[in-house]
Amino acid sequence: MQRIVDNFLAVTKESVKTITYESLSNILRLINGLSAVLLSILPGKANILEGIQGWELRPKVRGPRLPRWMENGVSSFNQFVHELSVDFDSLSSSGEHSAEDDVDDYDDAYICPATPLTPNLIFSRATSFAKRERNRRHWLMSIIMFLLIPARIMFGIPFYFCKRIFNKGVRAHTAKYKCVSSANAAKKGMDHVVQRATDRRRGIIEDLHLGIEIVIETIFDVIHHATRCLLSPLESLRMLLRWSSSSSGTRKIDNDDSDAIVPTATLADSDPTPTQKKTNLSNTLNTDSRKCRDVITELGYPYEAINVVTSDGYVLVLERIPRRDSKKAVYLQHGVFDSSMCWVSNGIVGSPAFAAYDHGYDVFLGNFRGLVSREHVNKKLTSRQYWRYSINEHGTQDLPALVEKIHEVKTKELKSSSQLDTNEQPNSDQPYKLCAICHSLGGAAILMYIITRQVENKPHRLSRSIMLSPAGFHHDSPFFFTVIEYVCLWLAPILNPIFPGLYIPTRFFRMIVHKLARDLQNYPAVGGLVQTIMSYLVGGDSSNWVGVMGLPHYNMNDMPGVSFGVARHLAQIKRAKRFVMFDYGSREANMKVYGSPEPLDLGARYNLIDVPIDLVAGMKDKVILPSMIMHHYRLMKDGGVNASYKQFEYAHLDFTFSHREELLEYVMSRLLLVESKHKTLKLKRKEEIMSI
C-alpha cells in the first residue's frame, strides 16, 4: 500500500511540476510573441535596433581580431588569451558547419557590434533564418503538447510504473558506464562555460521557475511524510527513536577532541592556511556583483585602489592599472549614471583602459561622487545632505582631488625609483605627462576643471584632453529633454526635498532591476521592445540601453546615481543656451560663490584653455547632438585653443560600451601626439646642451 501511495505522489508531483512549468513557459512565449508583433509595427524600429544584433541582445563569446594599432602594444599574456578565445570559437564553428557551408554563407555574413562586457561577433543570416524556423516549429509543438496534457497524464501513469520496474533490472548494468557518461556530460557542459562567464546571474523568470519547483517539492515532501506516518505509525515511531539516539551519540562524538574533524588546505594554494568559503547574499540570489577591480584582475592586469577625500568630505575611489615606472599617464573619467566599469567593459582588446596600458601608460580610472553607498567622512551625513551637489562639485571638488592625488603618487614613485632623466629640468615639479579621456558629463567637468584652475592660477596638470561626446551645450536636444528641463526648473522647490538624488534606494528593487536585464536578454523580442521604447525617449538614440543595464556595476549592492542638482544644472544650461556654472537662484548667493550676480560663463572663457583638446562626436548620438560638439569646437577655435574635431557613426553609449576599433585607433593616435611632442622637446634640450 505504501509503495502505491509513493508512486501516486511521485507521478502527481511530476505532473504538477510539468503543468506549472509548461503553463508559465507558454505565457512567457505569448508575451514574447506579442512583443515581437508590437515591435514589428513600431515606426523607426530598424534604425533604433541597428547595430545591436537585431533582437539578439544576449552577450556573445568570440572576440574581435587584433587591431592594427595593438599588434606591437598588446602584452604576450593578453594576446594568448585573445588567440585562445578565437581558436575556441573557430573550433566550435568548424564542428557545426562544413567548409562548403562557410563559403556559401560568407556573402550573407555581417558583423554585429558588441553588447557590454563582450566584443563583436560575426553572424550569418542563414543561421538566423534557421533559428526562426526552429522557433516556429517549437512554438507549434508547445501548443500541441499543452493541449495533450490530460492524455499525457492518463498514459503517463502506467508508463511510469513500467519504467520503474525496468530500471531496477538494468541499474547494475549501467553503473559501470557512469564515469564515461559523466565525462561526456562535463565535455558537453564546457560549451556553455565561456558564455555563462559573461553573465553570472539568474533572471526573475529563472528564479520564479526555481522557486515554484522548490515549493512543489516541499509540499509533496510534507504530504509524503504525513501519509507514511498514517499508513505505518510503528515504523515512524521507530525512526523517531533512532533519530533521537543518533543525535545524542553525535553530541558525545563532538565532545571527544580525538575524533575532531581537521580541515585541510587546498592543493596548489599559495597560502596553506585552511580557509572557509565565504558566502554572501549575492551568491545566494545568484547576482553578478563584480566590480571594476574584479574585471581587471580576472583578465590578468594589475590593480590598485586609492581612496581620495575631497575638500568637502566625499570619499572617492581612484582605481589604477599601475605602471609605476612610466612617465606617461592617462586619466579616464566616466559620465552620468556611470562608473569606471565603462572603460574596461569590452575586455582586453576593445577597452580604452587596457589599450592604454598595453601601450605603456599608467592608467587611472576616476569615479565621481554619486553612489548609493554614499561614502563620506561624516558617517552621520543624511541622504538629503549627501546628494546636495551639482556639476560644479564634479569640476571644482572631485577632479582637483583626484588629479592632485595622481600627481602626488606619480611624483613620489618616479623620484623614489630614480626615473627622472638627467636632461629633465631640475625645478620641474611634474616629471610625467598626464592626458585625460572623458565621456559625456565627464567632458563638461574636465572643461570646468581646466578653466577654474586657470582662473585661480593653479596648475591643472593635464597635457591633453580627448573628449568623447562631451556635455556642456544642450539647447539643441530631443523633446524628452525639453520636458525634463521644464520639470526640473519649474518643480525644483517641490522635487528637490522629495528626490534629492535619482537612484534606486533599496537593495530589493536594485536586485529586481539587475535581474530584469537578464530576462530581457533571454526574451529578445521583449528586450527589443524595451530597447525601442527607451530609444524613443532619448530621440531615437540607438545605444544598447538593455545591454548596459546588465553590467555588473548596476547590481543590488551598489549602483551609480545622479543628484537632482546635476539634473537641474543641465536644465539651466539648456535654458541659458550657454555653458554656465550652477545658478543658485539669487544675486546674493551667486555673489557669495562667484563674486558676481551671474554664474560663471565657461564657454566665454575657452581662451584660458592651454592644452590641446580633441572633440569626438557621434552622428547617431541623440543625447548630445553633433551640432553641440561643433558648438564647442567653434568657440574653442575662436578662443585660440588648439582643438580638433572628429565624428563617427556612433550613438551616445557606443563610445564606451561597444568595441569600436576605429575609435580606439583614433584615441591612441591622439595620445601618442603627447609622447612625440615630449620626445621633440628632449631632443631640442640635448641639442642645446651639446651646443653649449
Side-chain angles (χ1 to χ4, degrees), residues 65-75 79 359:
R65 64 182 179 84
L66 205 62
R68 299 186 306 274
W69 51 272
M70 290 188 66
E71 290 177 353
N72 298 322
V74 69
S75 64
Q79 188 171 2
H359 273 75

Side-chain angles (χ1 to χ4, degrees), residues 216-398:
I216 294 174
E217 289 279 353
T218 304
I219 293 174
F220 277 90
D221 190 50
V222 171
I223 296 175
H224 177 265
H225 286 294
T227 55
R228 182 178 289 273
C229 292
L230 292 176
L231 295 176
S232 53
L234 295 178
E235 183 179 353
S236 302
L237 181 61
R238 193 181 301 113
M239 290 178 62
L240 180 62
L241 294 175
R242 191 182 302 115
W243 175 79
S244 60
S245 61
S246 62
S247 60
S248 61
T250 304
R251 294 192 192 96
K252 292 181 180 180
I253 293 175
D254 292 338
N255 294 330
D256 190 0
D257 295 336
S258 61
D259 294 334
I261 298 175
V262 179
T264 58
T266 306
L267 184 63
D269 204 355
S270 58
D271 186 7
T273 305
T275 57
Q276 183 178 3
K277 185 177 180 180
K278 297 180 180 180
T279 58
N280 51 36
L281 187 60
S282 62
N283 293 333
T284 306
L285 297 174
N286 194 252
T287 60
D288 190 356
S289 58
R290 286 179 297 166
K291 299 180 180 179
C292 184
R293 169 180 184 169
D294 302 314
V295 175
I296 293 173
T297 54
E298 284 174 2
L299 294 175
Y301 286 85
Y303 176 85
E304 181 182 355
I306 305 171
N307 287 331
V308 179
V309 180
T310 64
S311 59
D312 54 352
Y314 285 78
V315 180
L316 312 178
V317 179
L318 178 63
E319 298 176 285
R320 183 186 186 190
I321 310 178
R323 282 191 185 272
R324 305 184 192 281
D325 57 346
S326 177
K327 294 182 183 178
K328 50 184 184 179
V330 61
Y331 174 79
L332 297 101
Q333 183 56 59
H334 64 79
V336 68
F337 277 119
D338 206 351
S339 74
S340 56
M341 180 70 75
C342 66
W343 304 112
V344 298
S345 60
N346 289 313
I348 293 172
V349 176
S351 301
F354 297 139
Y357 179 85
D358 290 333
H359 273 75
Y361 283 85
D362 194 353
V363 180
F364 292 88
L365 309 173
N367 289 279
F368 280 146
R369 65 183 69 187
L371 290 175
V372 177
S373 54
R374 301 202 308 267
E375 297 293 334
H376 198 275
V377 293
N378 183 9
K379 301 303 179 183
K380 297 182 180 180
L381 193 73
T382 63
S383 175
R384 183 171 287 102
Q385 292 172 333
Y386 177 86
W387 294 101
R388 192 178 297 162
Y389 64 86
S390 65
I391 306 176
N392 280 20
E393 281 67 29
H394 288 324
T396 63
Q397 300 288 341
D398 295 348

